[in-house]
Amino acid sequence: LRRQRRMCIETALEEVTGDLDILNIRVHPQSPAAGKQLNEVVLPDGCHVISDADGTEVARPETTLERSRRYLVAAEPSVVDDVQKLLIG
């Protein structure tokens, strides 16, 4: 039942995200965004930090991108490389 539920969720996610990429990114300790609040980081147009990877909190402007912590990011394919450079380095 758990696997079936997961498959339904993944299918639903694919249906609503279309061409968007949902990235699970660990902020590298030396990346340009590490230790900064989202409102201090210039994210490329076409991306949004959704939450920490644990899904325990929705990302807000005051969310700090903690070093070595994972975050879920929605991004248009054209900006994925820029997002990775900013968060991973």
Side-chain angles (χ1 to χ4, degrees):
L1 181 65
R2 181 179 242 176
R3 183 173 181 208
Q4 189 176 28
R5 179 192 247 170
R6 177 181 282 172
M7 289 175 60
C8 288
I9 291 170
E10 289 173 358
T11 300
L13 184 60
E14 289 173 7
E15 289 174 4
V16 298
T17 58
D19 291 335
L20 290 178
D21 290 329
I22 304 299
L23 311 170
N24 182 342
I25 295 181
R26 183 180 69 85
V27 175
H28 189 278
Q30 302 302 319
S31 76
K36 295 182 180 176
Q37 290 187 341
L38 282 174
N39 59 10
E40 299 173 309
V41 177
V42 179
L43 294 168
D45 287 338
C47 86
H48 183 77
V49 178
I50 302 168
S51 71
D52 62 359
D54 297 334
T56 56
E57 57 186 51
V58 172
R60 294 176 172 76
E62 64 275 3
T63 296
T64 298
L65 294 171
E66 297 177 25
R67 292 168 171 84
S68 300
R69 189 164 184 184
R70 292 189 171 276
Y71 295 87
L72 294 179
V73 179
E76 295 172 0
S78 62
V79 299
V80 168
D81 288 342
D82 294 334
V83 171
Q84 290 176 330
K85 286 176 189 171
L86 182 63
L87 299 179
I88 299 172

